[in-house]
Amino acid sequence: MKNILPSLPLVLLFSVLVSGQNTQKIDSLQKVLSNQKDSSRLKTLYHLFTENVRSDRQLAKPYLDSLLFDAKMSEFQKFLALAFKAEGLYYYYDSDYQQAEKSYGKSISIYKELDLKIQLSRMYNNQGIVLKYLGKLQKSKEHHLNSLKLKEELQLPPTDIAASLVNLGVLEKELGNDELSSDYYLRAEKICIENSLTRGLNLVRGNLAGNFKDAKKYDEALKYYILVYNYHKKNNDYRNIARITNSMGSLYFSLDSLQKAKTLYMEANQLNEKHGIKQMAGLTTRNLGKVAMKEGRFNEALGYFLKASAISQKTGTNTRNVGDYLNISMAYAALGNYKKAYINREIHFRKYDSVFSKEKIEQINDLEIKYQTDKKEAEIALQQEEIKTLNEKVKVDKLTKGLYAGGMASALALFGLSVFGYRQRIKKNRIEREKQEEIYKQEIAYKKKELTSQTLHLVQKNTFIQELMENLQSIKNSPEKFKMEFRRIVMLLKKENASDKDWEVFKTYFSEVHNDFDQKLKTLSPDVSEKEIRLAAFLRMNLTTKEIAATLNVLPDSILKSKYRLKKKLGLDKGNDLSSFLNSL
């Protein structure tokens, strides 16, 4: 079953999320506040704000206002930066990402001017999260990589390193780089386990569960979701309870358990509305629309999609808003309003290109290469410094050689050999790193290909056509309505119909990613047809029978028969799975 519901990853905010509200601690802070002045008062105001902001933003707001006022009146620039950080955090929890970006930007500027690198590294992390929601993906990655680089150089605590790793994993997931996303998550998970970071571990595993689900490892995903849900429930962390509940709903939707999915989505939506989690409310509303569409309640689905789109626009969640217009288009098409369906579909593709265009994705992926290259160059520089130290030691030993004649001569000879061997190892390692770097660049180049987007284009295109055809059939018995709509619908169908050109574009990208796939098939069975190669390619892309049927404009039964004939031509017996065999080529 192909997963068509994007689940929202759990964004890891180790550096900005504080522990649950501690009433006793708040009371003690309030008691000392009245007698404090200057920097001590500013610190207490900040702590009172962070203790309240996650659970009750309205309660936190007076502390933020006092902090901003006092910081602006004081001579301490670093506390002004801290106040802007708090302001950005407030807007983040209010899902006002445009304002959060501005406040975080002010904080970053001051920390840069004061050269406070620890604080700057954490602010880069916060700003990277906000930029992702705003659809500024290249800037988001720049900030997260800068954050990670600074934290590694400064050897900051494990919580800081894990925060950047997970947020990079979230971003790579958004970009469709699932393998790289999981790699970042697993590195963060290892850090959390080694350092007993319980909260961080549960946040990481919530993200990993999403990747398991998308890889169709549903049992593993559900196991992680339940563990993480219980942890957040125990700590009354309503924001993350809502996230996990929504994600579990997405899992059941993927399994076609619509009633379970709907129940979980509604439960998450109630939490979002109760606690004012606006951005998450947009996601659960959108997912309820997906359920309504699948159940044939098209008017209800349209209402959900329009509401979700309004929330996305209000909060500035541009990456989520891209898909809203496609959902709206599909709902209008199902209701027979083809004009609005086409308009919204055009808006979708325009917005998709503005956020996820080929050129932008290439630039973003190049940032990863540059970061890895810089990191390796730093390692090489460190090794060269070690060699220099060794050489200096050799010179010192040579100066004292006369004092150690005989035995020392042989010792120096051995030392010289060890230095030579060490240099050779360094040279060998450098060559090996360069080879690995070249391999990595080639892998990135492959990922730059538009294979996945082209596949999605084919599926969406023909699904849209099928729905148009079904609605055309439904108005056939109404002559007056038929005359008005017929010509426009036919023209639309001709314009949208999947052509051989679409297939050729898809085939070009596919062959570049999956080396000589068609030739391998022809070697196994010389009489395999072009249509069968096309079918095999779609199976290799893990499309379902229903999706392939929609793409090729045939009935699902026809695809099943074609799969049987292809399996026979390839000489596979009954026990061999065709999709697994094609994935092994």
Side-chain angles (χ1 to χ4, degrees):
M1 179 64 61
K2 183 176 172 63
N3 176 29
I4 60 174
L5 263 183
S7 61
L8 184 71
L10 298 175
V11 178
L12 193 64
L13 289 164
F14 290 93
S15 57
V16 295
L17 296 186
V18 292
S19 59
Q21 182 173 342
N22 186 319
T23 306
Q24 192 174 6
K25 183 176 180 181
I26 290 172
D27 289 343
S28 64
L29 286 169
Q30 287 174 331
K31 285 178 183 177
V32 299
L33 181 64
S34 57
N35 298 319
Q36 288 181 320
K37 294 181 180 179
D38 301 328
S39 61
S40 299
R41 175 178 169 80
L42 290 166
K43 287 178 185 177
T44 302
L45 284 169
Y46 178 75
H47 288 310
L48 281 165
F49 167 77
T50 55
E51 284 293 329
N52 285 285
V53 67
R54 276 178 42 209
S55 57
D56 191 336
R57 288 192 303 282
Q58 295 310 310
L59 196 60
K61 188 68 164 59
Y63 297 121
L64 173 62
D65 292 340
S66 296
L67 176 61
L68 282 165
F69 179 81
D70 288 6
K72 288 174 183 177
M73 296 299 291
S74 79
E75 59 185 27
F76 305 110
Q77 279 292 296
K78 69 175 182 179
F79 283 108
L80 183 57
L82 187 69
F84 284 132
K85 174 186 175 181
E87 185 180 49
L89 188 58
Y90 175 84
Y91 285 127
Y92 171 82
Y93 280 116
D94 197 42
S95 299
D96 189 342
Y97 300 116
Q98 291 102 330
Q99 290 300 322
E101 181 191 11
K102 291 177 183 177
S103 298
Y104 284 156
K106 293 175 185 176
S107 180
I108 287 170
S109 295
I110 296 172
Y111 283 138
K112 275 185 178 178
E113 188 178 334
L114 298 175
D115 198 29
L116 296 173
K117 292 182 179 179
I118 293 176
Q119 294 88 334
L120 183 61
S121 71
R122 291 167 179 165
M123 284 309 308
Y124 278 144
N125 182 69
N126 296 359
Q127 187 73 300
I129 296 166
V130 169
L131 290 167
K132 180 190 78 72
Y133 282 123
L134 291 170
K136 301 176 182 180
L137 302 184
Q138 184 172 356
K139 283 189 174 181
S140 174
K141 185 149 188 176
E142 286 174 357
H143 278 72
H144 282 314
L145 288 176
N146 285 336
S147 173
L148 181 59
K149 187 177 179 181
L150 267 177
K151 289 172 180 178
E152 288 175 336
E153 287 174 359
L154 297 166
Q155 297 182 334
L156 293 192
T159 49
D160 286 284
I161 303 297
S164 289
L165 289 173
V166 172
N167 285 317
L168 279 163
V170 172
L171 182 60
E172 293 300 342
K173 181 69 177 177
E174 195 78 54
L175 295 167
N177 300 329
D178 286 11
E179 188 178 339
L180 188 54
S181 169
S182 291
D183 179 59
Y184 277 124
Y185 290 156
L186 291 169
R187 285 167 62 188
E189 183 185 38
K190 184 181 178 184
I191 290 173
C192 290
I193 292 170
E194 289 174 349
N195 295 277
S196 301
L197 304 174
T198 309
R199 176 176 169 76
L201 182 61
N202 279 278
L203 289 167
V204 174
R205 285 181 170 171
N207 288 357
L208 273 171
N211 283 13
F212 285 143
K213 176 181 70 67
D214 292 342
K216 300 181 182 178
K217 297 177 180 178
Y218 298 120
D219 289 340
E220 291 180 65
L222 187 59
K223 181 179 72 174
Y224 266 25
Y225 278 144
I226 291 170
L227 286 171
V228 175
Y229 176 87
N230 289 335
Y231 172 81
H232 292 311
K233 189 80 173 175
K234 182 180 176 182
N235 289 278
N236 293 322
D237 190 341
Y238 299 113
R239 177 177 288 265
N240 281 315
I241 292 170
R243 289 181 190 275
I244 290 294
T245 303
N246 175 77
S247 295
M248 286 195 290
S250 178
L251 186 151
Y252 283 113
F253 185 93
S254 300
L255 294 169
D256 279 336
S257 299
L258 297 185
Q259 192 53 49
K260 263 189 176 179
K262 184 178 178 180
T263 301
L264 288 162
Y265 288 151
M266 292 186 75
E267 184 183 329
N269 216 24
Q270 287 170 1
L271 283 169
N272 294 329
E273 290 177 1
K274 181 178 179 181
H275 298 282
I277 313 171
K278 298 173 188 175
Q279 191 269 335
M280 274 295 298
L283 181 64
T284 49
T285 301
R286 186 178 301 114
N287 287 345
L288 283 166
K290 297 271 187 177
V291 173
M293 275 293 287
K294 208 160 189 179
E295 291 180 339
R297 295 178 283 110
F298 303 127
N299 269 314
E300 187 178 339
L302 179 61
Y304 279 129
F305 292 150
L306 289 170
K307 184 178 178 182
S309 180
I311 293 172
S312 295
Q313 291 174 47
K314 186 175 180 180
T315 60
T317 319
N318 295 333
T319 50
R320 300 289 168 223
N321 191 228
V322 168
D324 287 328
Y325 289 96
L326 183 60
N327 294 332
I328 293 167
S329 170
M330 300 297 281
Y332 274 128
L335 291 166
N337 191 334
Y338 305 114
K339 183 177 180 181
K340 286 190 176 180
Y342 191 78
I343 289 170
N344 281 278
R345 193 160 180 265
E346 288 295 304
I347 295 172
H348 162 72
F349 284 118
R350 188 167 67 248
K351 282 184 169 286
Y352 184 91
D353 286 340
S354 72
V355 177
F356 297 103
S357 68
K358 178 184 174 183
E359 291 77 14
K360 285 186 178 179
I361 300 301
E362 285 178 351
Q363 289 171 357
I364 294 167
N365 286 336
D366 285 343
L367 289 172
E368 182 72 24
I369 296 172
K370 185 178 184 301
Y371 168 73
Q372 296 295 344
T373 303
D374 289 347
K375 191 174 180 181
K376 286 179 173 58
E377 285 176 352
E379 290 171 358
I380 291 170
L382 181 62
Q383 290 170 345
Q384 288 175 338
E385 190 63 34
E386 289 174 355
I387 291 171
K388 184 179 178 182
T389 302
L390 286 171
N391 286 335
E392 291 298 323
K393 192 174 188 306
V394 171
K395 289 178 182 178
V396 171
D397 287 345
K398 282 182 179 178
L399 289 173
T400 58
K401 185 174 61 174
L403 300 173
Y404 299 93
M408 276 303 295
S410 55
L412 282 171
L414 288 172
F415 183 77
L417 287 172
S418 68
V419 172
F420 176 78
Y422 185 77
R423 283 177 171 172
Q424 290 299 105
R425 285 198 302 277
I426 293 298
K427 184 178 179 181
K428 184 180 178 182
N429 289 341
R430 179 176 56 78
I431 294 169
E432 190 62 33
R433 278 194 298 274
E434 288 173 353
K435 286 181 181 178
Q436 289 298 321
E437 190 64 38
E438 186 59 33
I439 291 169
Y440 184 77
K441 285 181 181 179
Q442 290 173 5
E443 289 173 349
I444 291 295
Y446 280 133
K447 290 180 181 180
K448 291 175 185 175
K449 302 299 179 183
E450 296 179 33
L451 174 59
T452 303
S453 61
Q454 186 64 20
T455 306
L456 179 64
H457 171 65
L458 285 169
V459 174
Q460 290 174 344
K461 200 171 195 180
N462 288 280
T463 302
F464 187 71
I465 291 167
Q466 278 193 338
E467 291 184 358
L468 284 176
M469 288 179 172
E470 288 169 7
N471 282 279
L472 183 61
Q473 186 67 30
S474 71
I475 64 171
K476 187 171 69 174
N477 297 326
S478 177
E480 186 177 343
K481 189 177 181 181
F482 184 79
K483 286 177 183 177
M484 288 189 297
E485 296 289 333
F486 181 77
R487 181 175 296 177
R488 184 168 58 82
I489 292 173
V490 169
M491 288 176 66
L492 185 59
L493 283 171
K494 284 181 179 178
K495 184 176 180 181
E496 290 295 313
N497 193 26
S499 64
D500 287 339
K501 184 179 178 182
D502 290 322
W503 163 244
E504 288 304 322
V505 173
F506 171 86
K507 188 177 176 183
T508 300
Y509 292 135
F510 187 87
S511 63
E512 288 176 351
V513 176
H514 304 287
N515 298 326
D516 301 321
F517 182 78
D518 54 344
Q519 292 302 317
K520 290 175 183 177
L521 284 177
K522 288 176 181 177
T523 301
L524 292 167
S525 177
D527 61 338
V528 68
S529 67
E530 187 68 16
K531 285 186 177 180
E532 286 167 334
I533 291 174
R534 189 180 306 193
L535 170 63
F538 289 145
L539 289 170
R540 183 71 175 78
M541 290 297 296
N542 294 320
L543 296 188
T544 64
T545 298
K546 185 178 178 182
E547 290 164 344
I548 296 172
T551 304
L552 299 178
N553 287 318
V554 296
L555 294 172
D557 285 347
S558 176
I559 297 300
L560 292 173
K561 290 174 184 176
S562 298
K563 285 168 71 176
Y564 174 77
R565 286 195 296 271
L566 177 59
K567 189 173 179 180
K568 197 171 180 181
K569 278 189 180 182
L570 295 173
L572 301 177
D573 57 34
K574 193 174 181 180
N576 287 334
D577 180 66
L578 178 59
S579 296
S580 298
F581 174 77
L582 294 171
N583 282 326
S584 69
L585 292 181

